[in-house]
């Protein structure tokens, strides 16, 4: 899996950090993850197209997430992709701080730092609750809406956090190992797919070129998950955070999440506001 790197840009002005007051920042959280752990995670993703990292969230953290988002869940999906028996919550950052740790978890940021250019963005944050009787979601890959032929390096990546246990019967995400390297002519078969069974508190990570889909819920219980999707800094995000996130909310977020919402400058001036760094909008908050 190749990566796109700023070092490949010859023009020093275009590649450099030209900000004055607000220089480019890097995540301090990533330093909590040993390099050998990140390299092992990355190797697994490169070889298989995904990785399941177990026991990332504690029981108390899972309870906090459930208690925060359960009262916010209401409407079910509007089409077969969203799921007619699936509750989805959008605009999550405006409604609770309980999921911030999932968005900027150091284990995940360490992987993203290896895959993407600096200043990569949060493309979408969503709560997904599969209700009993939900059918399987069509298999797809997340960055397929970017019209660049495959095979190619991923333009995005995603996490799916298991807030409930993921089982074969309750709709565990269906994955297609090694599909991240396929070209545009190759499509998955039923025989190639399997369920990503994992305990609550685990997280599934995969690049945007990886084929997957929500499973069918044949059980009598709900299956709750949170997904965070990220993309290269020069791409348009799925969720329009620029319009959808009030400045008072941004002011309460971590530096890492602010950066991923676009409160950063991708060299030389992508993301500026009136010719200035977007952080200046927060100075009077």
């Amino acid at each position: 899996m190749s990566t796109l790197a700023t070092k490949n840009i010859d023009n020093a002005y275009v590649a450099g950090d030209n900000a004055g007051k607000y220089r480019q920042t890097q995540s301090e959280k990533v330093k909590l993850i040993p390099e050998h752990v990140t390299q092992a995670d990355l190797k697994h993703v490169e070889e298989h197209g995904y990785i399941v990292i177990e026991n990332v969230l504690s029981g108390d953290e899972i309870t906090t997430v459930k208690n925060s988002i359960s009262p916010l869940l209401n409407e079910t999906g509007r089409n077969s992709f969203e799921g007619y028996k699936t509750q989805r919550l959008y605009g999550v950052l405006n409604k609770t701080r309980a999921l911030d740790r999932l968005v900027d978890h150091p284990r995940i940021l360490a992987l993203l730092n290896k895959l993407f250019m600096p200043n990569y963005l949060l493309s979408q944050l969503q709560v997904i609750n599969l209700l009993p009787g939900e059918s399987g979601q069509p298999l797809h890959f997340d960055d397929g809406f970017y019209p660049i032929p495959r095979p190619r390096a991923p333009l995005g990546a995603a996490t799916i956090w298991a807030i409930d246990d993921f089982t074969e019967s309750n709709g565990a995400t269906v994955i297609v190992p090694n599909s991240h390297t396929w070209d545009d002519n190759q499509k998955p078969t039923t025989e190639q797919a399997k369920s990503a069974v994992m305990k609550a508190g685990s997280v599934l990570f995969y690049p945007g070129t990886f084929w997957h889909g929500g499973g069918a819920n044949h059980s009598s219980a709900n299956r709750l998950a949170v997904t965070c999707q990220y993309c290269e800094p020069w791409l348009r995000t799925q969720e329009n955070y620029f319009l959808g996130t009030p400045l008072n909310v941004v002011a309460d977020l971590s530096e890492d999440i602010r950066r991923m919402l676009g409160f950063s400058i991708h060299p030389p001036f992508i993301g500026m506001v009136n010719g200035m760094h977007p952080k200046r909008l927060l100075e009077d908050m």
Side-chain angles (χ1 to χ4, degrees), residues 188-204:
T189 64
T190 303
E191 292 73 22
Q192 292 171 306
K194 70 173 188 177
S195 297
V197 174
M198 55 182 174
K199 290 291 186 180
S202 303
V203 59
L204 168 68

Side-chain angles (χ1 to χ4, degrees), residues 11-216:
N11 187 316
Y13 174 76
V14 171
D17 182 3
N18 300 290
K21 184 174 183 179
Y22 294 110
R23 305 293 292 180
Q24 182 171 293
T25 61
Q26 296 183 351
S27 174
E28 292 296 317
K29 298 183 181 73
V30 170
K31 297 177 182 179
L32 300 173
I33 308 301
E35 179 65 16
H36 74 273
V37 172
T38 302
Q39 289 295 341
D41 289 348
L42 182 63
K43 181 178 180 181
H44 196 283
V45 174
E46 290 176 337
E47 292 180 352
H48 304 284
Y50 73 99
I51 185 171
V52 172
I53 307 173
E54 299 180 340
N55 303 315
V56 183
L57 300 179
S58 68
D60 287 344
E61 288 174 317
I62 294 171
T63 299
T64 297
V65 169
K66 283 189 174 183
N67 290 343
S68 174
I69 62 181
S70 293
L72 303 175
L73 293 169
N74 188 9
E75 299 296 327
T76 53
R78 299 158 291 185
N79 51 61
S80 60
F81 191 85
E82 283 190 329
Y84 292 112
K85 294 184 178 181
T86 296
Q87 296 172 317
R88 291 178 181 262
L89 181 66
Y90 300 96
V92 179
L93 291 175
N94 297 336
K95 298 166 183 173
T96 176
R97 295 275 64 76
L99 303 188
D100 289 9
R101 174 168 164 75
L102 280 59
V103 176
D104 65 1
H105 194 281
R107 187 84 175 258
I108 301 304
L109 296 187
L111 270 171
L112 295 173
N113 282 355
K114 299 293 184 183
L115 290 174
F116 300 137
M117 288 182 174
N119 305 301
Y120 51 80
L121 300 172
L122 179 67
S123 184
Q124 184 172 199
L125 170 61
Q126 191 178 146
V127 177
I128 304 174
N129 191 35
L130 267 66
L131 305 179
E134 180 59 280
S135 57
Q137 186 186 44
L139 294 177
H140 60 282
F141 58 98
D142 285 340
D143 66 7
F145 44 77
Y146 298 125
I148 301 178
R150 297 176 54 137
R152 56 166 168 75
L155 301 173
T159 57
I160 297 179
W161 294 85
I163 308 305
D164 291 320
D165 290 346
F166 274 37
T167 69
E168 291 189 6
S169 63
N170 76 356
T173 302
V174 175
I175 59 175
V176 184
N178 305 309
S179 58
H180 60 305
T181 62
W182 291 357
D183 62 26
D184 286 325
N185 297 317
Q186 195 163 358
K187 302 294 186 293
T189 64
T190 303
E191 292 73 22
Q192 292 171 306
K194 70 173 188 177
S195 297
V197 174
M198 55 182 174
K199 290 291 186 180
S202 303
V203 59
L204 168 68
F205 178 94
Y206 55 85
T209 51
F210 184 68
W211 283 86
H212 67 284

Side-chain angles (χ1 to χ4, degrees), residues 258-284:
R258 288 181 189 175
R259 186 189 318 109
M260 289 188 286
L261 292 186
F263 281 77
S264 59
I265 290 292
H266 184 62
F269 39 64
I270 298 177
M272 57 85 172
V273 178
N274 197 28
M276 305 297 287
H277 198 289
K279 281 186 179 179
R280 291 180 181 269
L281 297 174
L282 303 174
E283 290 180 344
D284 297 326

